Amino acid sequence: MKLMNTHLHAISVIAEKTIKMDIVIEKKLLETIRPGQFVYIQIGSSSEHMLRRPISIADVDIEKELLTLVYKELGEGTRKLSQLKKGDPLNLLIPCGNGYRIDQLQLSHALLIGGGIGVPPLYYLAKKLVEKGIKVTTIIGFQSKEDVFFEEEFKGLGDCFVTTNDGSYGQQGYVTDSIEKEQPEFDNYFACGPNPMLKAIELKLTDKKGFLSLEERMGCGIGACYACVVPTKDEKGSKKICQDGPVFSAGEVKI
Amino acid sequence: MTLAINLPGLQLKNPIMPASGCFSFGREYSHFYDLSELGAIMIKAATEEKRLGNSTPRVAETKSGMLNAIGLQNPGVLKIIENELPFLGGYDLPVIANIAGSTVEEYENVAKALRQTDLIHAIELNISCPNVKEGGVQFGTVPEVAYEVTRRVKEQASVPVYVKLSPNAADIVAVAQAVESAGADGLTMINTLTGMTIDLHKRRPLLSNKVGGLSGPAIKPVAIRMIYDVYKAVNIPIIGMGGIMTTEDVLEFLMAGASAVAVGTANFQNPMICKELIDDLPTTLKQYGFESIEEAIGSAHR
Ligand SMILES: Cc1cc2nc3c(=O)[nH]c(=O)nc-3n(C[C@H](O)[C@H](O)[C@H](O)COP(=O)(O)OP(=O)(O)OC[C@H]3O[C@@H](n4cnc5c(N)ncnc54)[C@H](O)[C@@H]3O)c2cc1C
Ligand SMILES: Cc1cc2nc3c(=O)[nH]c(=O)nc-3n(C[C@H](O)[C@H](O)[C@H](O)COP(=O)(O)O)c2cc1C
Ligand code: FES
């Protein structure tokens, strides 16, 4: 993990309050990044925001030396990020967390399930899986039509089904409803999204090996403060999401 | 210019150290710089048995600060001696062991357990914990209770004891004088201030513990005032903390009466902060007309 000063290369709005950022990062570092890892990004340069913000790595372009993040503007920190312009400085801790260890897996067909701001890390994951010749089916869920992003990108990599909670686009309902309807074939699943979604998926797909990416409020982002813990399934211990996660095997921790 | 300063049990190369709970046992930060550069390290609180801590969310950002309610999660004092201290023994680094408890007996037992190791150089007695036998009132808010726990830990300890004062006391000077008369070798101050923040969407306190401890630049003026007052009232050294981000902040603490300082929350914004402060401190001291650390200590009182 490195603490680095860099700058913004491009910024654009891709859906309702959803921002895509390309950040300049040297090739050597990009080559070490695993899908599912995140950056811990400083907000401003004063003492106003003492905590950084964790944002997943959505894509990596090694040739152009760019890293892509996609985030939703929710509170003050993400709103401030959105005011940045091309060339503005950024300070990152990168890469954080363990990521999806796909090199250690034997599979031929992966199911990717994303909800809202959990969708971005699945994009780089999908690209890496396809690169290895693994078939990818994606199910992504959003609140509403305006929130939908990356549908075309995922369609370029395999089947992609979209759900919206209010039914304004794609299938109405949750991603679990879509799994029910489409009955996709797969060996392993990879999910990222809000905890209730992950819990529902874990309960539904009990017969398959899966990997879940979790979120929690963080302090240090590097494993030193115990802010971001999640109890292990047996509740006898805990794991740190920033360091042991954010990706866990299904059944490993108690969501 | 030498930054060195000697305090009971601690020969500090410089007056900068990470604060307890914000730096774990140093491993994570050792990837960013050589821990031997630090003046000392204050390690995460140890209790007698392992503690799992509070449910999440455990932290919340506030303006120029943060709230935390980690709940003293730690593997227990014996595991810390076995698994964490040997790692720190590999550095040229005085180690200050922060100890916590829910009863006076627990504090005694942790201090007793620490006699087994020669890898710590001082104890930091965290009296901001709630006393379960006294309805959860913090040990550190009542001078008589603070006196008693300090006296009994001093009896067990084989290294100097620094008592970490709570800003939540009505009269922090009275607590400082009480622990000095109980035999404290030094003071560290301040711990966090009790606070709360409410989640507007969920219409309830954001932290799962409801209340948390406020730290960061937001509490610096409170820390400075308390150190200034306590410095006048005691004859034992003070290690100051509360919102330090810059070398000017460090100098302000020294002027108020601290002999050394600890940095907590700022490590989260900038993992390199302690090293940067150490590197830049001589320039700042010179800039304000000081030839040594000693000269700066308490200079706001002269
Ligand atoms: C490993 C990980 C990866 C993430 N990846 C993405 C991503 O790719 N895209 C995206 O849009 N969001 C992502 N999030 C969520 C994102 O971190 C929060 O939405 C963001 O921190 C909110 O900051 P804010 O300034 O808008 O909100 P504020 O309310 O101002 O934030 C206040 C504090 O709460 C924290 N916080 C608030 N909500 C969350 C949350 N849901 N999770 C963790 N911390 C939170 C903030 O980090 C900050 O410390 C991720 C979270 C984690 C833990
Ligand atoms: C996440 C976190 C955990 C902490 N844990 C402890 C602890 O275990 N024991 C203790 O005495 N103080 C603990 N503190 C208090 C700090 O050591 C320090 O006294 C306080 O945060 C003020 O300094 P700062 O403003 O530089 O953070 C903790 C603070 C934070 C932010
Ligand atoms: S955020 Fe500090 S341990 Fe994870």
Side-chain angles (χ1 to χ4, degrees), chain A residues 1 5 39 44 54 63 65 73 85 87 110 128 135-136 161 172 203 209 234 236 239:
Chain A
M1 193 193 318
N5 284 312
V39 301
E63 286 320 306
E65 303 204 295
E73 268 179 46
K85 294 183 195 65
K128 284 303 225 190
K135 203 171 159 217
V136 170
F161 305 98
Q172 200 254 317
L203 283 173
K209 191 173 167 63
D234 61 13
K236 286 194 184 133
K239 299 270 178 185

Side-chain angles (χ1 to χ4, degrees), chain A residues 53-54 56 70-72 74-78 117 215-217:
Chain A
R53 301 293 189 270
S56 300
V70 172
Y71 65 87
K72 191 111 188 168
L74 290 174
E76 222 177 295
T78 47
I117 58 173
E215 266 179 24
E216 188 49 78
R217 283 173 190 256

Side-chain angles (χ1 to χ4, degrees), chain B:
Chain B
M1 179 187 299
T2 170
L3 293 180
I5 173 124
N6 287 341
L7 300 178
L10 304 169
Q11 292 195 326
L12 308 177
K13 294 184 276 301
N14 63 66
I16 313 283
M17 61 191 86
S20 178
C22 302
F23 212 76
S24 201
F25 303 96
R27 268 181 225 277
E28 295 75 17
Y29 289 93
S30 72
H31 301 301
F32 292 96
Y33 56 88
D34 180 359
L35 299 183
S36 296
E37 301 217 17
L38 294 167
I41 179 174
M42 292 167 148
I43 57 177
K44 191 170 166 48
T47 52
E48 189 174 3
E49 305 291 335
K50 156 179 165 173
R51 294 217 194 164
L52 288 176
N54 295 322
S55 331
T56 56
R58 290 177 169 188
V59 294
E61 190 181 65
T62 59
K63 283 263 155 63
S64 294
M66 66 178 284
L67 290 166
N68 90 81
I70 307 294
L72 295 176
Q73 178 171 0
N74 80 98
V77 65
L78 294 178
K79 282 270 165 17
I80 291 173
I81 294 171
E82 187 186 324
N83 300 330
E84 307 295 345
L85 294 181
F87 168 76
L88 289 172
Y91 292 92
D92 172 21
L93 180 65
V95 176
I96 304 170
N98 187 281
I99 70 171
S102 307
T103 61
V104 177
E105 292 71 33
E106 183 174 4
Y107 281 107
E108 281 182 315
N109 292 340
V110 180
K112 195 191 268 176
L114 286 169
R115 287 206 301 239
Q116 294 171 27
T117 172
D118 55 5
L119 294 175
I120 64 160
H121 304 80
I123 283 176
E124 182 182 46
L125 176 59
N126 172 6
I127 54 171
S128 293
C129 310
N131 182 346
V132 293
K133 287 198 184 150
E134 302 288 339
V137 179
Q138 288 181 15
F139 289 94
T141 54
V142 187
E144 296 74 33
V145 180
Y147 174 92
E148 182 63 12
V149 64
T150 305
R151 187 183 65 77
R152 288 180 44 189
V153 165
K154 264 302 282 183
E155 275 173 10
Q156 298 301 330
S158 57
V159 291
V161 174
Y162 290 72
V163 179
K164 185 163 186 178
L165 302 185
S166 165
N168 301 316
D171 183 354
I172 197 163
V173 172
V175 178
Q177 289 172 324
V179 302
E180 181 182 33
S181 64
D185 299 281
L187 301 171
T188 69
M189 57 193 290
I190 58 176
N191 212 320
T192 54
L193 287 145
T194 307
M196 183 185 280
T197 183
I198 290 174
D199 185 327
L200 300 185
H201 295 289
K202 295 185 179 153
R203 303 183 183 187
R204 59 169 195 247
L206 194 152
L207 295 179
S208 102
N209 188 53
K210 300 194 176 75
V211 299
L214 181 65
S215 64
I219 70 168
K220 198 189 89 179
V222 178
I224 296 290
R225 191 277 288 175
M226 289 181 163
I227 291 167
Y228 188 89
D229 286 351
V230 167
Y231 177 80
K232 283 189 293 195
V234 299
N235 291 307
I236 46 177
I238 299 169
I239 302 176
M241 63 199 75
I244 292 173
M245 300 268 294
T246 65
T247 48
E248 282 79 8
D249 294 338
V250 175
L251 181 55
E252 199 177 339
F253 275 79
L254 296 176
M255 286 184 171
S259 296
V261 299
V263 181
T265 307
N267 290 290
F268 301 164
Q269 196 197 54
N270 175 9
M272 292 291 292
I273 186 80
C274 289
K275 175 165 166 50
E276 289 176 7
L277 293 175
I278 293 163
D279 291 346
D280 297 346
L281 189 58
T283 312
T284 304
L285 286 172
K286 267 199 212 98
Q287 192 188 333
Y288 288 89
F290 294 100
E291 298 292 330
S292 70
I293 293 283
E294 308 264 1
E295 222 178 283
I297 298 167
S299 58
H301 295 266
R302 293 194 273 274

